[in-house]
Amino acid sequence: MPLNPTLPDLSGRRICILSTDGFEQSELCQPLEQLRAAGASVHVVAPHVGSIRGWDKKDWGQSVAVDHVIPDISASDYDALVLPGGQINPDVLRTNKSAVALVRAFADAGKPIAAICHAPWLLIEASLVEGLTVTSYGSIRTDLRNAGAKVVNEAVVEDRGIITSRSPEDLPQFIAAIAKAVLATADRTTEPA
């Protein structure tokens, strides 16, 4: 998929992509490439050093270098958090207390969190979806409802700083929503008191 030429200039912005092995290839790689192409500094953060391997439709895909491990970063280092989906990746991360705590820290700091596909499982684990309007991959919508979310079937939903999308088909809208939220957050932090 080509880069999105409509993204605003994100120079000086810092974005964290939290993931582990089994991420949906396109859901990590496209935001990584497009947000970097727009000028953002984007780091892949994982539970372990080295690299993490994607899942590409029906088999293992490419590996992506890990920039930092979870204990070495904090929400204050970044302007936003991106959570790619895939079935394996968020299922593993939601059992990792440090990963869940990092998601919660971004929410507590009022920074945008963007979750696609199965990644809203992490939002559930961090107790962030009650009363929220969200979307997701079809198979986890009952989980979201059971956690108190209002679930809709839309390409992208933003509610109280949390952005959700359904699947790789929604990546253009998802990435555009991330860029918009990062700029809005940065504008709020630079306004005079």
Side-chain angles (χ1 to χ4, degrees):
M1 184 174 284
L3 295 180
N4 186 343
T6 63
L7 290 182
D9 182 4
L10 297 176
S11 298
R13 311 299 192 241
R14 294 172 53 88
I15 300 170
C16 173
I17 298 180
L18 175 62
S19 190
T20 193
D21 295 302
F23 61 86
E24 180 64 39
Q25 189 84 40
S26 60
E27 294 173 358
L28 187 149
C29 293
Q30 286 184 33
L32 177 68
E33 293 164 6
Q34 292 187 31
L35 295 166
R36 280 183 176 166
S41 176
V42 186
H43 296 152
V44 175
V45 175
H48 58 82
V49 298
S51 63
I52 53 177
R53 192 166 181 198
W55 186 262
D56 193 9
K57 298 177 184 75
K58 296 184 179 183
D59 202 354
W60 289 103
Q62 300 171 353
S63 292
V64 173
V66 171
D67 297 302
H68 301 288
V69 291
I70 296 169
D72 293 346
I73 64 109
S74 70
S76 63
D77 298 329
Y78 295 95
D79 297 301
L81 175 66
V82 177
L83 303 171
Q87 186 177 6
I88 301 166
N89 163 52
D91 195 32
V92 171
L93 284 179
R94 69 180 171 162
T95 66
N96 182 308
K97 290 180 182 177
S98 296
V100 174
L102 183 63
V103 173
R104 184 79 225 174
F106 271 86
D108 290 346
K111 296 189 177 184
I113 300 172
I116 189 168
C117 191
H118 288 74
W121 268 338
L122 281 160
L123 303 178
I124 293 170
E125 201 63 36
S127 302
L128 297 178
V129 300
E130 187 171 353
L132 217 60
T133 300
V134 298
T135 193
S136 72
Y137 195 71
S139 66
I140 71 162
R141 291 182 184 160
T142 298
D143 297 341
L144 286 161
R145 284 187 197 97
N146 289 341
K150 177 185 176 192
V151 181
V152 296
N153 184 17
E154 296 176 18
V156 66
V157 175
E158 190 278 329
D159 189 2
R160 289 178 266 163
I162 295 181
I163 299 161
T164 51
S165 278
R166 301 171 297 194
S167 68
E169 288 75 26
D170 301 326
L171 279 165
Q173 299 97 316
F174 181 65
I175 296 166
I178 294 166
K180 181 180 176 186
V182 167
L183 285 180
T185 301
D187 289 345
R188 283 197 313 265
T189 61
T190 58
E191 289 176 358

